[in-house]
Amino acid sequence: MTNEDIVQAIKDIIITIAPDEEVAGLKLDVSLRDQIELDSMDFLDIVMELRKRYGVNVPEEDYKELASLQSCVDYLAPHLADKELVAH
Amino acid sequence: MDERADAIVIGAGPAGLAAGIRLAQAGLSTIVLERHWLWGGLNSFYKLGGRNYDVGLHALTNAAPKSARKLPLPRVMRQLRIPLEALELGEQLGSRTVFPSVSLDFSNDFDELASQVRAKFPACAEAFDKLAIELALSPHGVEGGPASTRTELLQRLGDELLVDMLMHPLLWYGSPTAHDVSWSLFVVLWKSIYEEGFARPRGGVRPLLKLLTGRLREVGGTLRLKSGVQRVLHDDGRTEGVLLDDGTVLRAPLVLSSAGYVETLRMLGGTFAERAATEPVGTMTFVESCSHLSQSAPSLGFDKTITFWNHSERGIYAPSTPAPFDARSGVLCIPENYRGQDPEPEGVLRTTVLSNAAVWEDLDGEAYGAQKEAAYQASLAAVSTFAPDPRPHVIAKDVFTPRTITHFTSKRAGAVYGIPHKVDDAASGVQGLHIIGTDNGFLGIVGAMVGGAGVAAFVAAGAQGQEATP
Ligand SMILES: Cc1cc2nc3c(=O)[nH]c(=O)nc-3n(C[C@H](O)[C@H](O)[C@H](O)COP(=O)(O)OP(=O)(O)OC[C@H]3O[C@@H](n4cnc5c(N)ncnc54)[C@H](O)[C@@H]3O)c2cc1C
């Protein structure tokens, strides 16, 4: 997966768990929570979807790495390098 | 070979169904096991003499529009990925608390309650507003707080009658303890009932359950009826699966139980079962009736949605011991008095009065039937003191008692709101076995769904019992 794919993968997941949010204009380096309404439970859903769709386990101490789209890319890139973007 | 799953949920009430959906959504193979031949738990439905009866669901609490995304109902529906619109919620027309000398009306607009308090308890108006603002700013979940909600409110409001009246609907819709309720539960109930309010899915409990069971199926979860769990299997402090009433063994490292805390300890057997024997049992249980009327209830003059009555100077909310029932305090529900409901040819009227389980357990067939009828007549007589007399219009009815509740939900002593001290951390003492629903401190239909979905998420994300804060 390229970095763009990872951004798309996260956006796809957000659309699934919060279908009424607009993800198109999300900024890369601004915290997701400052841009859309996600609570800690929603982040658990992001973690669960990452595991289900891409087999990536995000341990609890690393949840903070999912704060913004850019930090998601930085953190997930090594784990997703050899994975394909799942169409949803 | 025994059958295997990633996760097993005991009970298909609102907590179990919500948990099952969230586990299956996370990609875990999930089986929801229900002892009864029907799903819904304390919220269920049946047919009798060709007529529909609903159990539970007088009111869906936590009414809130979709835009109120942080509030419990929109939030849990989002977590379950069921559109809130699918519930087709109709708001209540208005509810009332009736005491001998005074009544307080309230609705989904908090100002109605506030102005009633101002008009009827002018000396308390300022203190009430202060309390209301403080609670409005509080989140649903608070920890600790004053030991007695009643004492705290009395100190703050300075009027026993007002405290009794404000607490009455809240106790009735969620207190596992007599006369008083823990501060944390009080805050949830205040917000769920007074701030957010009552609504009803169009068509009642059936469409709500249909959405939940449909969603469970859609995400690949399995619901098995007539599958009571006899034992939770465990070894060396870890959950291994369950043994069903019919002897089948299902293996799973994760089990979420909505069967109740003490009931679950019993299923663990051994020293756990011994501990269960010393745990206090919930004592709040009720006699519920459902009457069909020859014409619609509003056309007979029933104009409120829910009425919480109390026929004594002081508010009563306690087991009816030693009597089988106590109709001095109760709840009247008129399901037609929600907006957007389809017109029904017959009216429906539901009542709930105080009861106590032990008395009913000891009654034999004939005496049981006679007491049921006595409780029914007393309930309707009580209703006719503050509303039209429904008795001449009743064409069919059914009554259920604490024994019915235990029979259909395996809940000990028919304790609708569970044990007095909640298991807040969902822990059972065995790794991989979690308590969800009522005894986890999440009450009512919405509460049970919120709790079940919440525990399921923590468990599935592998972050059990800890808050994720990215
Ligand atoms: C008369 C009445 C009116 C109510 N009105 C309202 C209302 O208007 N609004 C509201 O919000 N709430 C209402 N409630 C409360 C609400 O119904 C409960 O709070 C809610 O159902 C609790 O959900 P739960 O999933 O925790 O437990 P339950 O609904 O009790 O579900 C537990 C399930 O587990 C099953 N089970 C138990 N043991 C086993 C076993 N060993 N193996 C397999 N299955 C098992 C039971 O059969 C049951 O189906 C009412 C309750 C009653 C009795």
Side-chain angles (χ1 to χ4, degrees):
Chain A
M1 258 196 242
T2 63
N3 287 358
E4 287 72 45
D5 286 344
I6 296 178
V7 169
Q8 193 55 49
I10 298 292
K11 285 183 177 176
D12 287 346
I13 290 177
I14 292 174
I15 292 171
T16 315
I17 62 181
D20 44 343
E21 289 291 357
E22 285 191 67
V23 298
L26 285 178
K27 297 197 182 67
L28 278 183
D29 41 13
V30 179
S31 141
L32 285 167
R33 275 186 150 176
D34 289 340
Q35 304 180 75
I36 50 179
E37 273 189 47
L38 290 178
D39 56 30
S40 52
M41 275 290 180
D42 296 323
F43 275 91
L44 284 181
D45 273 314
I46 296 180
V47 170
M48 286 189 270
E49 288 297 324
L50 280 170
R51 175 183 304 166
K52 190 171 81 179
R53 296 182 187 187
Y54 302 106
V56 184
N57 269 319
V58 182
E60 202 202 328
E61 58 271 23
D62 291 346
Y63 288 175
K64 57 183 183 311
E65 309 290 345
L66 305 179
S68 71
L69 285 175
Q70 187 58 50
S71 67
C72 284
V73 169
D74 296 343
Y75 176 76
L76 293 169
H79 300 281
L80 294 177
D82 53 353
K83 302 261 164 63
E84 291 288 314
L85 180 64
V86 178
H88 266 270
Chain B
M1 256 296 270
D2 298 328
E3 195 180 340
R4 290 189 164 272
D6 294 330
I8 285 170
V9 179
I10 306 178
L17 290 172
I21 292 170
R22 205 104 188 266
L23 292 166
Q25 228 163 232
L28 304 183
S29 62
T30 304
I31 304 176
V32 180
L33 300 168
E34 169 58 54
R35 176 168 277 146
H36 192 17
W37 40 266
L38 202 56
W39 52 91
L42 286 170
N43 292 281
S44 200
F45 53 91
Y46 57 94
K47 258 201 156 81
L48 192 69
R51 292 190 168 84
N52 283 330
Y53 288 83
D54 282 6
V55 191
L57 209 144
H58 290 171
L60 203 66
T61 56
N62 305 85
K66 192 172 182 181
S67 55
R69 303 185 39 155
K70 295 215 158 125
L71 295 181
L73 182 59
R75 197 159 163 249
V76 74
M77 295 305 278
R78 187 152 68 104
Q79 289 166 1
L80 301 177
R81 302 179 198 165
I82 301 172
L84 186 61
E85 297 84 343
L87 288 176
E88 300 187 72
L89 289 180
E91 254 190 58
Q92 64 166 326
L93 298 185
S95 293
R96 177 175 286 169
T97 303
V98 187
F99 272 51
S101 54
V102 54
S103 65
L104 283 180
D105 287 355
F106 61 97
S107 64
N108 292 6
D109 176 4
F110 187 82
D111 287 342
E112 181 165 0
L113 177 64
S115 66
Q116 289 267 305
V117 171
R118 237 170 275 134
K120 296 175 179 177
F121 296 89
C124 307
E126 210 173 303
F128 175 84
D129 286 342
K130 194 160 169 263
L131 174 73
I133 290 170
E134 213 177 287
L135 290 166
L137 294 173
S138 159
H140 270 259
V142 297
E143 275 171 39
S148 159
T149 295
R150 184 171 287 284
T151 310
E152 173 72 10
L153 291 183
L154 189 57
Q155 264 171 17
R156 301 188 52 152
L157 298 172
D159 187 304
E160 278 188 333
L161 179 59
L162 178 58
V163 171
D164 277 359
M165 292 189 76
L166 288 173
M167 286 182 76
H168 200 58
L170 310 188
L171 294 172
W172 261 107
Y173 269 9
S175 179
T177 46
H179 294 307
D180 209 344
V181 62
S182 71
W183 185 259
S184 57
L185 208 48
F186 165 74
V187 173
V188 172
L189 289 164
W190 176 283
K191 298 181 86 69
S192 308
I193 293 169
Y194 289 147
E195 288 178 13
E196 291 155 36
F198 298 149
R200 183 175 195 264
R202 179 169 163 207
V205 74
R206 278 157 235 250
L208 167 68
L209 291 172
K210 202 168 168 191
L211 285 170
L212 292 172
T213 51
R215 179 68 190 148
L216 179 67
R217 216 175 308 116
E218 186 180 291
V219 293
T222 309
L223 171 60
R224 281 197 204 158
L225 302 170
K226 292 192 265 180
S227 301
V229 173
Q230 191 64 242
R231 284 244 171 276
V232 175
L233 308 172
H234 55 108
D235 185 39
D236 204 17
R238 280 176 179 281
T239 304
E240 299 200 311
V242 298
L243 167 71
L244 301 189
D245 293 337
D246 68 3
T248 311
V249 170
L250 299 175
R251 305 251 164 219
L254 265 181
V255 175
L256 275 59
S257 172
S258 69
Y261 178 58
V262 174
E263 291 81 349
T264 305
L265 288 181
R266 281 195 186 159
M267 289 187 246
L268 286 166
T271 53
F272 292 95
E274 283 163 29
R275 205 168 91 213
T278 65
E279 288 286 334
V281 195
T283 54
M284 291 315 306
T285 188
F286 314 115
V287 175
E288 168 92 0
S289 81
C290 180
S291 310
H292 284 258
L293 308 174
S294 54
Q295 61 188 88
S296 90
S299 74
L300 290 168
F302 292 93
D303 56 355
K304 289 288 157 195
T305 308
I306 313 285
T307 309
F308 299 88
W309 81 77
N310 184 68
H311 287 165
S312 167
E313 283 312 313
R314 297 301 314 271
I316 305 175
Y317 180 79
S320 59
T321 323
F325 60 88
D326 181 353
R328 287 176 304 166
S329 171
V331 184
L332 167 68
C333 166
I334 306 292
E336 288 167 275
N337 286 337
Y338 286 94
R339 289 181 217 287
Q341 302 299 310
D342 300 314
E344 305 273 355
E346 296 176 356
V348 169
L349 175 149
R350 294 172 52 185
T351 64
T352 314
V353 297
L354 297 166
S355 185
N356 107 67
V359 180
W360 293 95
E361 270 153 28
D362 296 338
L363 295 175
D364 61 24
E366 208 170 303
Y368 181 75
Q371 282 300 339
K372 255 170 97 155
E373 183 60 22
Y376 178 70
Q377 291 303 334
S379 302
L380 294 204
V383 165
S384 62
T385 63
F386 58 83
D389 189 346
R391 286 170 289 191
H393 310 284
V394 174
I395 50 176
K397 64 153 200 278
D398 198 24
V399 181
F400 46 93
T401 72
R403 215 153 98 179
T404 325
I405 296 173
T406 303
H407 179 71
F408 285 111
T409 68
S410 313
K411 266 207 184 354
R412 283 205 316 167
V416 171
Y417 300 132
I419 52 171
H421 300 289
K422 299 305 183 187
V423 189
D424 299 330
D425 59 1
S428 64
V430 172
Q431 221 181 322
L433 173 64
H434 306 268
I435 307 296
I436 58 169
T438 307
D439 282 350
N440 177 216
F442 289 87
L443 302 161
I445 300 161
V446 177
M449 291 198 297
V450 167
V455 173
F458 282 122
V459 170
Q464 75 194 52
Q466 281 157 44
E467 191 74 357
T469 41

